Amino acid sequence: MGKFMFRFCKGFAAAVSAGVFLLAVAAFAIGCLQGDREHQQSAGNSGSQTAIDIPENPLQIILSLGAEPGQLSISWKGDADRPGTLQLMGAEAEALRKDKAGENETAGMGRQSGRGAFAEAEAQTFAAKKERILKSDYYRWHVSLTGLAQGREYQYKIGEFEGSFRVPKERETTKFLYLGDVQFQESMEEYEEWGAMVEGAYRKHPDLDFAVIGGDLVNSPGELKQWEAFLDACDVFAKLPVMTVAGNHEGVHSNYTYQKIFTLPDDAPRRLSGEEFYAFDFGNLRFLMLDSSFLTQERKTAMGMKKWKAEEQRVEDWIWREAKTCDKPWLTAVIHHPVYGMHDGDTVSPQIRKLWEPILQTGGVKAVFSGHQHLYQRTKYIRGVTYLMGNSGRRESCFFDGNNLPEYTQQIYDKGPNYQIVEASSKRLKITSYNQKGLVIDETVLGKGLLFYILEFFRSDQVVV
């Protein structure tokens, strides 16, 4: 009788587990179908670029998001004197000019204008802030705008160049492009190939809201020719805003040139961070953008250990505060060095795991995007977090031999450049990875809700590290 009851209880428990598992699978499938439906509906009313027009970009114009929706920055190349102003049509009356030196209201407000020939009499003029790059005759000019209407197209004029951009609009599904390391393998001509791939990705996914680059844009940050070759390949980002983090090839002692070239949210007064560490919200996502080269020995030496330790504590406090105040469905992080990569060839990844990973996990981060090791890798769930490493340039891994995969690896791809399309609804986050030809090389879906977590419990790709 005792053996019978034992077998009965064991069989009953197995049946219950199987039933719960099937229910979770069914619920997850229904959620995926619902998510696809939501995405299709939102894509039809996205407020994003739907007809792709990517003109030549002689001024190397770059758009970037602000810390919050409705904020955009625009930067361009010039010399020491010009072009020093941006003329904007379609600006809201409450729009303010905000540059790196502070906030100032501009005089002369223009009225909203429809598309057509640029009318200077209807435009609002914004004075730009200039930054000299590498003590050369090359300057970057920056203007940051607030109070822009989401989904509205604005026309602008910089010097004699005329262009337009559409302000991304929050919707049910947020969609962005992720690009790992950009740097070239053999020559700067590879940037043209990279630019063509990025343009192809944008044409294939015209409803993208913005792009994110995970660092290592150049090989040598002190060579202006490399920065210009990279920027020459960035025509897409005159239409599609891009957000970046610094990699070790932007500088380990410091990354001053990188900070002068890009206009990124500097929310230090409120969040005690700055352009090396910043957060931004858009749609269903909050991003924590972290400079992992801060953990290098070179940075510690340059700052001095006392100052570095004090700043590192501020960084930890900032990460925790940003995580705990997040009211978005998804909290993500972008860190150049991988938390879990192919190897620990330097000291940075172990330090991230020691200092920042516990805060990220406790704070609710579900996906971390990285680069650095020059291949594509997606981990299994590690304490509820997926770690993804991308590589959009031609630089190849010199470590992976086809057999030495860490046990936490779920997917690997080392056959060349790749990019990721990420779609985030309120209940799921879908990541699809493509190779240079636009073929799918990997796909995964993260979800929310009790039944998803039950399904997650039964997954075979859980791992404890």
Side-chain angles (χ1 to χ4, degrees):
M1 183 67 178
K3 289 182 178 180
F4 172 77
M5 289 300 297
F6 173 77
R7 290 175 180 172
F8 173 79
C9 292
K10 184 177 180 181
F12 180 77
V16 170
S17 296
V20 170
F21 176 73
L22 291 174
L23 283 172
V25 170
F28 180 63
I30 293 171
C32 287
L33 290 173
Q34 179 64 28
D36 285 334
R37 191 176 300 115
E38 290 178 357
H39 171 66
Q40 291 168 2
Q41 292 172 348
S42 64
N45 186 29
S46 66
S48 299
Q49 295 285 125
T50 54
I52 296 300
D53 177 24
I54 306 175
E56 292 186 3
N57 186 12
L59 293 184
Q60 298 176 343
I61 292 168
I62 298 288
L63 294 176
S64 58
L65 299 174
E68 299 173 356
Q71 300 176 355
L72 272 182
S73 294
I74 181 168
S75 66
W76 61 91
K77 75 171 183 178
D79 57 31
D81 301 316
R82 61 185 188 276
T85 59
L86 168 75
Q87 293 177 287
L88 188 68
M89 282 175 52
E92 293 289 325
E94 67 270 24
L96 299 177
R97 194 262 303 172
K98 176 184 174 185
D99 60 33
K100 289 189 175 183
E103 297 186 4
N104 297 286
E105 190 167 357
T106 56
M109 306 305 300
R111 63 181 178 84
Q112 181 182 340
S113 173
R115 297 190 63 177
F118 190 87
E120 293 190 21
E122 301 178 1
Q124 181 180 355
T125 300
F126 299 89
K129 169 73 175 182
K130 69 179 179 181
E131 295 278 7
R132 188 181 184 186
I133 306 301
L134 294 171
K135 299 180 180 180
S136 70
D137 294 331
Y138 182 99
Y139 286 76
R140 293 295 295 182
W141 293 83
H142 306 266
V143 167
S144 293
L145 303 163
T146 63
L148 300 174
Q150 294 187 46
R152 175 172 293 173
E153 184 166 354
Y154 292 80
Q155 293 177 279
Y156 64 86
K157 187 173 183 180
I158 301 171
E160 297 303 315
F161 180 82
E162 296 182 13
S164 66
F165 61 82
R166 187 181 298 275
V167 180
K169 182 179 180 180
E170 293 182 300
R171 48 201 168 109
E172 290 182 350
T173 298
T174 306
K175 188 172 182 178
F176 72 92
L177 167 68
Y178 179 71
L179 299 161
D181 295 38
V182 181
Q183 61 186 131
F184 58 88
Q185 174 81 10
E186 296 180 355
S187 74
M188 289 185 289
E189 293 178 358
E190 294 170 24
Y191 281 124
E192 296 181 14
E193 185 179 317
W194 174 82
M197 182 186 73
V198 174
E199 183 173 323
Y202 191 27
R203 293 189 185 279
K204 187 173 182 178
H205 303 275
D207 55 342
L208 286 167
D209 296 306
F210 56 92
V212 175
I213 303 181
D216 276 7
L217 314 179
V218 295
N219 284 343
S220 302
E223 294 189 15
L224 180 59
K225 288 184 179 180
Q226 292 189 22
W227 284 111
E228 289 211 75
F230 165 73
L231 292 166
D232 279 339
C234 288
D235 289 355
V236 165
F237 302 130
K239 291 289 187 180
L240 182 70
V242 62
M243 307 299 282
T244 64
V245 295
N248 56 298
H249 280 270
E250 277 67 72
V252 288
H253 295 90
S254 68
N255 48 42
Y256 294 141
T257 300
Y258 160 82
Q259 291 192 49
K260 288 181 176 181
I261 288 175
F262 292 94
T263 306
L264 302 170
D266 186 352
D267 48 6
R270 181 163 63 92
R271 294 172 175 169
L272 299 177
S273 61
E275 288 189 354
E276 294 174 290
F277 296 88
Y278 68 95
F280 72 95
D281 293 343
F282 190 89
N284 295 314
L285 295 149
R286 169 168 290 181
F287 289 83
L288 304 181
M289 311 292 279
L290 310 179
D291 177 15
S292 52
S293 293
F294 176 79
L295 300 176
T296 61
Q297 186 58 51
E298 291 88 345
R299 188 71 61 86
K300 296 175 183 177
T301 300
M303 294 179 65
M305 282 304 296
K306 183 177 180 179
K307 181 179 178 181
W308 181 90
K309 287 181 178 179
E311 188 64 20
E312 200 286 319
Q313 185 59 56
R314 292 177 67 193
V315 170
E316 290 187 27
D317 294 341
W318 174 81
I319 295 173
W320 179 250
R321 183 165 53 254
E322 290 296 330
K324 297 307 292 183
T325 60
C326 178
D327 58 358
K328 299 293 183 179
W330 298 100
L331 179 62
T332 62
V334 182
I335 313 173
H336 176 67
H337 291 79
V339 185
Y340 292 94
M342 281 297 301
H343 60 86
D344 286 340
D346 53 47
T347 63
V348 174
S349 293
Q351 289 185 83
I352 297 174
R353 293 198 293 271
K354 177 183 178 181
L355 298 172
W356 298 347
E357 182 196 14
I359 308 173
L360 296 174
Q361 288 180 346
T362 303
V365 167
K366 292 300 179 184
V368 177
F369 297 88
S370 297
H372 188 59
Q373 294 181 358
H374 307 296
L375 46 68
Y376 172 79
Q377 180 190 35
R378 176 170 61 86
T379 71
K380 301 175 182 180
Y381 286 98
I382 300 177
R383 289 181 284 275
V385 182
T386 294
Y387 297 89
L388 185 146
M389 178 164 56
N391 185 49
S392 65
R394 294 216 63 87
R395 181 66 71 92
E396 299 175 355
S397 171
C398 58
F399 182 84
F400 178 56
D401 63 12
N403 299 305
N404 55 343
L405 287 177
E407 64 173 346
Y408 49 72
T409 303
Q410 179 65 23
Q411 186 61 273
I412 198 84
Y413 179 82
D414 69 332
K415 304 301 182 184
N418 54 84
Y419 63 89
Q420 287 67 51
I421 299 294
V422 185
E423 301 166 87
S425 66
S426 60
K427 295 192 180 294
R428 72 169 196 158
L429 189 145
K430 180 181 180 182
I431 306 172
T432 307
S433 296
Y434 297 85
N435 65 12
Q436 189 174 14
K437 296 180 179 180
L439 302 176
V440 175
I441 58 175
D442 187 30
E443 185 175 274
T444 190
V445 177
L446 313 183
K448 287 182 174 292
L450 178 61
L451 290 178
F452 180 85
Y453 291 123
I454 294 173
L455 175 64
E456 189 176 285
F457 176 80
F458 285 98
R459 289 178 67 121
S460 61
D461 61 350
Q462 284 279 3
V463 65
V464 176
V465 178

